[in-house]
Amino acid sequence: MIKLLLVFLLGMLSVLGFAPFYLFPVPVFALAILLRFCHASVSPRKAAALGFGFGMGLFSAGVTWLYVSLHDFGAMPTPVAIAALIVLCAYLSLFPATSLWLLARLRQAAPMIWAAAAGALLMLAEWLRGYLFTGFPWLALGYSQAPNSPLVGFAPILGVYGISFLLIFSAAMLFFWFDSGFRAKRYVVTFCALWVGGFALQMIEWVQPEGEPVTVSLLQGNIAQDLKWRDDHLENTMETYARLIMESKSRLIVTPEISIPLFSDVMPPAYLSHIAEHARNQDGDVLIGLAERTVDGSDDYYNTMFSFGASPEQRYRKHHLVPFGEFIPLKPIFGWIIQVLHIPLSDFSRGDLNQQPMHLAGQRVAINICYEDVFGEEIIYQLPQATLLVNVSNDAWFGRSIGPQQHLQISQMRAIETGRYMLRATNTGVTAIIDERGKVLQSIEIFTTSALHGVAQGFKGATPYVLAGNHPILGAAGLAVIAVSISAFRGRRKNR
């Protein structure tokens, strides 16, 4: 019981590695202790309990912002919201629990092999968590290393899951070094080689600048979530964004996700014409978030970004939707949730996965909407053609929690993986300009009505991750698990 309480606290402590704290060494030491307990477990069942306890600590502390979404803005009753959060955390914790259950069965393997198996199993569980039922990859351990850890030098090669693998492997090296009484130098040498190697990789220029920097304005309307969809507040919202647009002299102006809560077909033509004329005067374009419905009688509607200005009008329809927020999975089972959650437009249709970058303000812009930038393997569909990445979001759903900062850190990882600037325009924050190395160059205060004016450099070329995605690290991890399992099985047979 004491160990379970301790690993629960270690899970909570690991949240300090993520934004807004950015204490990237903390998860390394927390995982080292967790792996030590797992290696010493007398049974796979007890190891699984340790993994479950660690997961409950990590997720209960790391995704508390979901309560704000469910209760404060979704109007879900307090007991139901708390119960829903507990159930979600328990589900997410099954993944590390299963990993440690399997890992405990390999405890007879040599330390280096066992460490590789630990990294592979826990990382594969993270990937599976980010894939099943449309995925929830939030708080993948690799994100805790962006943007300051030396390990992010591997991100343009292996992506965030590769960083998770190296982070867990490094933690195992610390554990074995400690367990040897600090005498087995091979473990600390391996640890240092990985971290120094990551630092050295950051010196590589994977991509090259293309053209001159473009001026950008990222708008933050700061429309309160409880007012956004009210008819009596619509005029104020439209006036706010019209004013911010007209005050912006940049070539590329970006508004947040569904910045104006109207369907595109009922937007006043004069309003859009005025905005488009302003953009043309800057020899640029404006991106506006609107809901879009089809006119073929199918009742389909989309979360869409439209462009207006000097370039031909273009659109991007959101593909990866948020379960229970933008669509209801398995409606015969979960359809009742619509009656509990008071979320407008909660049944969007999906846009195509293979949409191409927009040609705007002399750049090729890859757009992703809100939750989509959590899926790095989908972002690269628009690369290497795109020269800039743009994320538009409405993180007002998270309230004054750590959620918006965590979302910013995810965007930082996407910038590092792809070697592209990431421009974030959000309703309430964090609105920011992130460079190709994941550094936040500029940002504005959250929950303020403002515009962030700056410049963004377009880039060309492709990182290894853009070219191959997650396939290399997933394949290598899968082969490692198979090889270790076969070795352990043969070892048990010889000992009989």
Side-chain angles (χ1 to χ4, degrees), residues 421-442:
Y421 269 56
M422 173 70 87
L423 309 178
R424 302 194 78 240
T426 68
N427 177 24
T428 55
V430 179
T431 297
I433 298 175
I434 304 169
D435 74 8
E436 80 283 6
R437 294 188 177 275
K439 304 296 183 183
V440 176
L441 301 181
Q442 293 176 253

Side-chain angles (χ1 to χ4, degrees), residues 146-293:
N148 301 315
S149 167
L151 289 182
V152 297
F154 292 94
I157 305 172
L158 302 175
V160 68
Y161 293 120
I163 306 304
S164 291
F165 172 86
L166 296 173
L167 173 63
I168 298 159
F169 183 84
S170 298
M173 291 296 97
L174 285 183
F175 143 54
F176 283 120
W177 183 50
F178 173 82
D179 230 34
S180 72
F182 304 106
R183 290 188 298 272
K185 294 182 179 178
R186 64 184 180 276
Y187 301 128
V188 71
V189 168
T190 302
F191 178 93
C192 291
L194 278 176
W195 287 66
V196 172
F199 178 80
L201 284 171
Q202 293 184 63
M203 304 300 108
I204 297 177
E205 301 288 346
W206 298 105
V207 294
Q208 303 80 42
E210 181 173 72
E212 295 297 319
V214 61
T215 54
V216 299
S217 292
L218 311 177
L219 311 188
Q220 182 173 290
N222 191 34
I223 309 300
Q225 189 59 37
D226 55 351
L227 298 177
K228 179 172 180 176
W229 295 94
R230 281 174 42 175
D231 291 339
D232 60 347
H233 199 73
L234 175 61
E235 183 177 350
N236 178 68
T237 298
M238 297 180 70
E239 289 177 353
T240 296
Y241 279 108
R243 174 177 58 81
L244 291 173
I245 290 171
M246 295 304 159
E247 291 174 353
S248 301
K249 306 303 180 185
S250 302
R251 291 193 64 197
L252 180 61
I253 303 171
V254 186
T255 73
E257 172 190 19
I258 309 189
S259 50
I260 299 174
L262 282 177
F263 282 108
S264 57
D265 58 298
V266 297
M267 277 290 291
Y271 186 91
L272 295 177
S273 297
H274 189 47
I275 287 171
E277 181 181 3
H278 173 77
R280 286 192 292 269
N281 290 338
Q282 315 304 318
D283 189 28
D285 299 281
V286 178
L287 280 167
I288 297 181
L290 298 166
E292 177 195 9
R293 57 188 170 193

Side-chain angles (χ1 to χ4, degrees), residues 25 47 95 102 110 144 169 173 202 219 347 357 417 432 480 490:
F95 292 92
L102 292 169
S144 69
F169 183 84
M173 291 296 97
Q202 293 184 63
L219 311 188
D347 196 17
E417 289 173 344
R490 287 176 176 174

Side-chain angles (χ1 to χ4, degrees), residues 321-340:
L321 305 176
V322 181
F324 304 108
E326 293 178 313
F327 82 104
I328 304 298
L330 302 174
K331 281 187 182 180
I333 300 174
F334 297 113
W336 60 272
I337 292 180
I338 297 177
Q339 307 302 321
V340 178

Side-chain angles (χ1 to χ4, degrees), residues 390-438:
V390 167
N391 175 257
V392 296
S393 187
N394 178 25
D395 289 348
W397 284 103
F398 301 162
R400 293 185 179 274
S401 69
I402 60 177
Q405 297 288 343
Q406 290 176 353
H407 200 180
L408 173 71
Q409 189 177 37
I410 289 169
S411 289
Q412 290 176 279
M413 182 62 78
R414 296 291 87 83
I416 300 168
E417 289 173 344
T418 60
R420 298 294 192 274
Y421 269 56
M422 173 70 87
L423 309 178
R424 302 194 78 240
T426 68
N427 177 24
T428 55
V430 179
T431 297
I433 298 175
I434 304 169
D435 74 8
E436 80 283 6
R437 294 188 177 275

